[in-house]
């Protein structure tokens, strides 16, 4: 009974979080707690958290209702062992692939916040801040904005490729 109530409460909190775009939540957090690299990192994490929580909740619900969890319970395994040995590995597997895919989006969000002056403050070296500083010199020194932008794109692209490969490998391994 308590599990259903907790699931209901988590579901309602997730619905409220999904009512707002993640970047808007990040901007709200920065507006309340001020600018800075740490604040921006926490804000990006809050903006991304709802998606991960929804995935974990749906995976856990699916795994807990599966036959192999029922079999483990039927064999008399303690609940903590069932969770540790059966539920967690099957819930965390798709989360690993999603996390690597989410790194790219987080880099773009953090760079966007820094570009707007809401992330890392000078003299901290941050790609978004470098883009913002270099935009006034585009006509004379284009490379001051080109290379930070290139590294944002390459980082996002490489983590996305890594995430897709990891997802394919995990899918291949589980079947």
């Amino acid at each position: 009974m308590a599990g259903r109530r907790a699931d209901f409460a988590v579901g309602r909190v997730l619905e409220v979080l999904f009512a707002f775009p993640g970047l808007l939540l990040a901007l709200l957090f920065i507006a309340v707690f001020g600018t800075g690299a740490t604040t921006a990192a926490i804000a990006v994490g809050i903006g991304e958290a709802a998606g991960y929580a929804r995935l974990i909740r749906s995976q856990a619900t699916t795994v807990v209702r599966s036959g192999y969890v029922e079999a483990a319970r039927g064999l008399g395994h303690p609940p903590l062992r069932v969770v540790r040995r059966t539920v967690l590995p099957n819930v965390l597997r798709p989360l690993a692939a999603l996390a690597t895919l989410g790194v790219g989006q987080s880099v773009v969000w953090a760079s966007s916040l820094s570009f707007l002056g809401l992330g890392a403050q000078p003299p901290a070296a941050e790609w978004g801040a470098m883009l913002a500083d270099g935009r006034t010199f585009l006509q004379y020194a284009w490379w001051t904005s080109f290379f930070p932008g290139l590294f944002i794109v390459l980082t996002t692209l490489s983590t996305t490729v890594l995430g897709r490969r990891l997802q394919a490998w995990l899918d291949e391994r589980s079947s």
Side-chain angles (χ1 to χ4, degrees):
M1 188 63 137
R4 288 184 183 155
R5 288 183 184 163
D7 184 53
F8 181 78
V10 168
R12 298 308 73 82
V13 169
L14 288 177
E15 287 175 5
V16 169
L17 287 176
F18 271 113
F20 301 101
L23 196 54
L24 183 63
L25 285 174
L27 288 171
L28 178 66
F29 185 83
I30 289 173
V32 171
F33 293 103
T35 62
T38 305
T39 308
I42 293 170
V44 169
I46 289 171
E48 294 275 338
Y52 292 107
R54 178 184 258 180
L55 174 77
I56 290 170
R57 181 174 175 255
S58 67
Q59 276 298 114
T61 302
T62 303
V63 169
V64 165
R65 293 179 181 161
S66 66
Y68 54 88
V69 171
E70 291 295 324
R73 286 183 187 146
L75 290 172
H77 295 297
L80 187 60
R81 181 176 179 197
V82 171
V83 169
R84 192 179 67 240
R85 293 262 179 136
T86 313
V87 176
L88 279 179
N90 291 302
V91 169
L92 295 180
R93 187 173 295 133
L95 184 65
L98 182 67
T100 56
L101 292 170
V103 168
Q105 183 176 1
S106 297
V107 167
V108 170
W109 281 18
S111 297
S112 300
L113 292 172
S114 290
F115 182 83
L116 296 172
L118 301 173
Q121 300 299 312
E126 207 282 327
W127 289 331
M130 290 178 189
L131 280 173
D133 291 342
R135 72 176 179 232
T136 57
F137 305 109
L138 281 177
Q139 198 171 25
Y140 307 107
W142 55 269
W143 55 88
T144 58
S145 287
F146 175 77
F147 287 109
L150 177 68
F151 290 130
I152 291 169
V153 169
L154 290 176
T155 301
T156 303
L157 184 65
S158 63
T159 56
T160 301
V161 168
L162 176 68
R164 293 200 184 269
R165 297 280 172 128
L166 180 62
Q167 190 174 22
W169 180 74
L170 289 172
D171 288 344
E172 180 180 296
R173 190 169 172 221
S174 66
S175 60

